[in-house]
Amino acid sequence: MSTNLVPILIDEKLLAGEIARLGKIVLPEEFDNFASEIHFHDALRYEDISPEERQYAFASFSASNNTRDCFDADEIRFQLLHSTRDSNSTNAAKSADTLFRFIGDFFVHNRLYIPFNEYGLTGSVIIGLANARRLHLFFQKIDFDLLRPFYVEHCKKYAEGMEINRVKSFEEFVSFVTAFDDLLLQAMEKNKALYIFAS
């Protein structure tokens, strides 16, 4: 499995043109699937030129850059969703549902989830400016304080009994989720689309 999440910021028109170009020259079964990703930036200008001439920029993923953390975050989001639904706290259940959907939009090659992609692709995460704004507002609706007690009670082990060992505390989990929102903020600040691949 790929391990490192690599987020880049790229002009939406440039990205759309690159997707269209690659769609014409790469075989359909190789262009977009869960087994292999097309890295849309490969043919674009970056190395050995000034920052002004670069066609994309790398974004900063502040919490962690390893997709193995996604497995723990995935398990935690499922457990929070189920445990809050079984509780009497409607607000906690709403926050868990929002969190569940927010994290799901960023998964890259994690099991068989289809990541968020504005171009109908299934092998990479691509989020344009309008959806970056929408997802950022979505993130702001998550009340982590309401979710903390459910994490403490329910989120120490996988359903199969194995320890959750990469995301070791609620603070680490919140930091991991917040790092994705930070990518959205970077995209909005630079007026670019966010493209995430795993390598």
Side-chain angles (χ1 to χ4, degrees):
M1 181 181 96
S2 297
T3 56
N4 293 319
L5 294 178
V6 182
I8 67 171
L9 304 173
I10 186 169
D11 179 79
E12 289 189 59
K13 288 183 181 177
L14 184 66
L15 178 62
E18 189 67 3
I19 290 170
R21 183 186 73 78
L22 288 169
K24 293 176 184 173
I25 63 173
V26 178
L27 294 173
E29 61 270 15
E30 295 174 0
F31 179 64
D32 179 49
N33 61 52
F34 289 111
S36 65
E37 292 176 272
I38 295 295
H39 294 178
F40 297 109
H41 67 295
D42 283 347
L44 303 177
R45 293 193 308 273
Y46 185 83
E47 300 296 340
D48 300 325
I49 57 176
S50 69
E52 296 78 26
E53 294 178 289
R54 292 177 182 158
Q55 292 179 296
Y56 63 93
F58 290 99
S60 173
F61 190 48
S62 58
S64 167
N65 67 348
N66 198 305
T67 57
R68 285 177 291 183
D69 292 356
C70 288
F71 287 107
D72 284 2
D74 185 36
E75 184 67 22
I76 292 167
R77 79 180 182 133
F78 269 110
Q79 291 184 18
L80 287 173
L81 185 69
H82 291 297
S83 61
T84 56
R85 283 185 177 169
D86 293 339
S87 75
N88 292 324
S89 176
T90 304
N91 290 334
K94 285 181 183 176
S95 279
D97 182 65
T98 303
L99 170 72
F100 182 85
R101 291 187 283 152
F102 180 81
I103 294 175
D105 285 339
F106 293 95
F107 281 150
V108 180
H109 286 202
N110 186 8
R111 301 179 188 170
L112 292 176
Y113 299 124
I114 297 175
F116 188 86
N117 193 296
E118 297 185 8
Y119 295 87
L121 307 178
T122 58
S124 33
V125 173
I126 299 174
I127 300 172
L129 274 172
N131 280 309
R133 290 184 190 98
R134 181 185 64 81
L135 286 170
H136 173 62
L137 292 174
F138 203 55
F139 170 80
Q140 291 178 319
K141 293 180 180 179
I142 302 168
D143 188 333
F144 287 103
D145 288 335
L146 287 176
L147 298 176
R148 180 187 298 274
F150 296 94
Y151 173 89
V152 170
E153 186 175 347
H154 299 282
C155 301
K156 301 299 181 199
K157 294 185 176 184
Y158 279 86
E160 302 83 30
M162 295 174 7
E163 294 286 327
I164 293 176
N165 58 11
R166 291 192 62 85
V167 177
K168 295 183 171 129
S169 69
F170 188 68
E171 289 71 25
E172 283 185 26
F173 176 68
V174 172
S175 177
F176 182 74
V177 177
T178 303
F180 286 109
D181 184 59
D182 187 52
L183 292 177
L184 299 174
L185 292 172
Q186 290 175 65
M188 289 186 287
E189 179 185 325
K190 297 194 180 297
N191 202 33
K192 302 288 186 188
L194 173 63
Y195 168 54
I196 305 175
F197 63 94
S199 72

